[in-house]
Amino acid sequence: MEIKVFLYGAFKKLAESPTFDYRVEEGTTVGELMDLLKLPDPVYRMALVNNIRVPESAVLKPGDQVHLFQPIGGG
Amino acid sequence: MEMDLTLAEMIAAAGKPVSVSGGGEYTGIDLRGVRRIAGESGKTPREVEIAALRQGIIPLRYYRNIASLGLDGQARLLSSTAAVVGAGGLGGLIIELLARIGVGRLILIDGDSFTEDNLNRQLLCREGDIGRKKIERAVERVAEVNSAVEVTARPVFLTAENAAELLAGAGVVIDALDRIGVRILLEEAANRLSIPLVHGAIGGFMGQVAVVFPGEETLSSSIYRGEGDQASRGIEAVLGTPTITPAVVASLEAMEAVKILLGRGTPLENELLYLDLESAEFSRIGLKGGGDGD
């Protein structure tokens, strides 16, 4: 199935374009997608799927729009 | 009433034509005039400035604001209260901007003291301030740049127990904290008090800004969902908090706060503004709350 991926910040350099269509197998989770895309540092990565913050255990569906970025909390 | 008439007369008498470079003039009142009238009338300088603006007489210090804010907008800001929670990298800059634009009352909250590694980014921190309470220096700085601003200084850390009392009376609450857990606590408190919250955070040369209106849980249900015991940190734990990033994020937070106080513009509601300064990219990402559990 196909999903759409949007990369932000440091993740942008992991692909040729920060926005692209991506083919994954049915049942792939957000965490598995992050690993497939080789997002560094599993502690500091997060996903919005269709604008909703989801845990890495969330299962992707066809056509999902997946925004991937790093959580920020400093001041 | 007679007192008010007297104040109006004093202000009118103190109003002087001020010529503008490039031609034209306006009727203004200078800092000395405001202070003198405050002393003689028993009003605060802030009250004198508001009264002057209502009479169409512009305190010179705000002249460069007026074309954008209007006399009424400037007076409304001077009548407003903002609470800034945190007086570090973000907070110091936000406090500076709010004082200069003339937000009339500031509630400043931070229990921390300056350390040497604050010098890279914290406007309030000078070499001689190491070891001093941040709030003590914040009070001093506001008095230096705009003595009409009335400050309530609270040199304590925000907790679930003290939050409602600390934030009461604010028209907007500004998140200038540095830990995810306490930001979520602040959102809960602002929600309980029905006060809009402006959120901002930095990590490396990246930052983010969002606005949370009462009833929304943008931080706890969306941006920081699943994060967030009190000590939790984001990517700044790896990338640090370098110079420059806080100035950009603080400016955006101050602007969102002013928009809320004046009820103008389009707030960053249900959106995350994600900044990547190395690529000079600002991205707005839509946010929907909740979802159907994990």
Side-chain angles (χ1 to χ4, degrees):
Chain A
M1 64 181 189
E2 201 156 88
I3 57 167
K4 196 169 184 85
V5 177
F6 301 79
L7 301 176
Y8 297 93
F11 294 162
K12 283 194 307 241
K13 58 176 175 264
L14 299 173
E16 277 177 34
S17 161
T19 306
F20 53 93
D21 296 322
Y22 196 68
R23 192 164 281 280
V24 292
E25 285 180 33
E26 299 279 336
T28 302
T29 66
V30 168
E32 287 163 352
L33 171 69
M34 289 168 155
D35 292 337
L36 284 168
L37 296 173
K38 299 188 165 51
L39 300 197
D41 209 339
V43 178
Y44 301 113
R45 59 189 199 183
M46 58 183 269
L48 292 171
V49 175
N50 305 327
N51 304 108
I52 295 170
R53 175 78 196 263
V54 297
E56 295 199 12
S57 59
V59 177
L60 293 165
K61 296 184 297 295
D64 274 349
Q65 304 221 339
V66 185
H67 297 261
L68 299 170
F69 45 97
Q70 295 173 305
I72 297 175
Chain B
M1 199 64 204
E2 195 181 332
M3 186 72 185
D4 284 346
L5 274 176
T6 308
L7 177 65
E9 285 164 3
M10 290 164 82
I11 290 168
K16 295 200 167 53
V18 182
S19 49
V20 182
S21 61
E25 64 175 38
Y26 67 95
T27 306
I29 180 169
D30 65 12
L31 200 48
R32 280 180 53 198
V34 169
R35 285 178 176 165
R36 180 176 53 74
I37 293 170
E40 289 171 6
S41 67
K43 301 281 185 189
T44 65
R46 184 181 69 86
E47 290 166 337
V48 173
E49 288 181 350
I50 293 168
L53 288 159
R54 298 287 185 215
Q55 285 172 239
I57 297 175
I58 303 172
L60 268 59
R61 63 170 311 124
Y62 303 121
Y63 174 65
R64 298 299 181 115
N65 285 351
I66 298 301
S68 292
L69 294 179
L71 290 164
D72 182 58
Q74 186 68 67
R76 281 176 69 183
L77 277 188
L78 280 164
S79 306
S80 303
T81 304
V84 184
V85 190
L90 291 171
L93 289 147
I94 292 165
I95 291 164
E96 178 87 7
L97 295 172
L98 297 184
R100 286 190 188 272
I101 204 168
V103 173
R105 286 180 296 240
L106 297 176
I107 301 168
L108 307 180
I109 304 160
D110 196 329
D112 209 2
S113 300
F114 289 115
T115 55
E116 206 167 319
D117 64 6
N118 295 159
L119 281 167
N120 77 321
R121 71 191 186 287
Q122 299 196 15
L123 180 68
L124 293 170
C125 184
R126 302 163 303 178
E127 291 181 1
D129 295 320
I130 309 306
R132 285 181 77 193
K133 282 279 184 193
K134 294 182 177 183
I135 285 303
E136 182 188 314
R137 174 66 192 135
V139 170
E140 202 175 84
R141 179 68 182 176
V142 172
E144 286 165 3
V145 301
N146 191 349
S147 57
V149 173
E150 296 166 13
V151 176
T152 303
R154 308 303 298 264
V156 295
F157 292 106
L158 187 97
T159 65
E161 290 70 37
N162 68 15
E165 188 257 324
L166 291 172
L167 303 174
V172 63
V173 172
I174 304 170
D175 167 8
L177 291 158
D178 63 356
R179 289 291 187 278
I180 291 170
V182 69
R183 292 176 189 280
I184 291 170
L185 192 156
L186 179 63
E187 180 183 68
E188 288 167 6
N191 253 323
R192 272 199 306 275
L193 295 165
S194 292
I195 305 172
L197 170 71
V198 178
H199 160 75
I202 57 169
F205 291 115
M206 297 185 299
Q208 64 187 30
V209 183
V211 172
V212 186
F213 283 98
E216 299 169 352
E217 297 176 329
T218 308
L219 301 189
S220 59
S221 296
S222 187
I223 297 173
Y224 293 133
R225 184 179 180 201
E227 317 273 347
D229 63 85
Q230 289 251 4
S232 58
R233 303 178 72 188
I235 196 64
E236 70 281 1
V238 178
L239 301 177
T241 44
T243 317
I244 300 175
T245 317
V248 181
V249 172
S251 300
L252 292 164
E253 287 193 81
M255 186 67 199
E256 291 304 306
V258 166
K259 284 158 59 179
I260 289 167
L261 291 173
L262 295 179
R264 62 184 277 181
T266 309
L268 273 169
E269 186 181 12
N270 294 320
E271 276 185 304
L272 177 66
L273 177 64
Y274 199 78
L275 306 116
D276 175 0
L277 300 184
E278 278 194 271
S279 311
E281 283 184 353
F282 287 34
S283 308
R284 288 172 72 152
I285 308 165
L287 296 174
K288 289 182 193 161
D292 47 5
D294 298 352

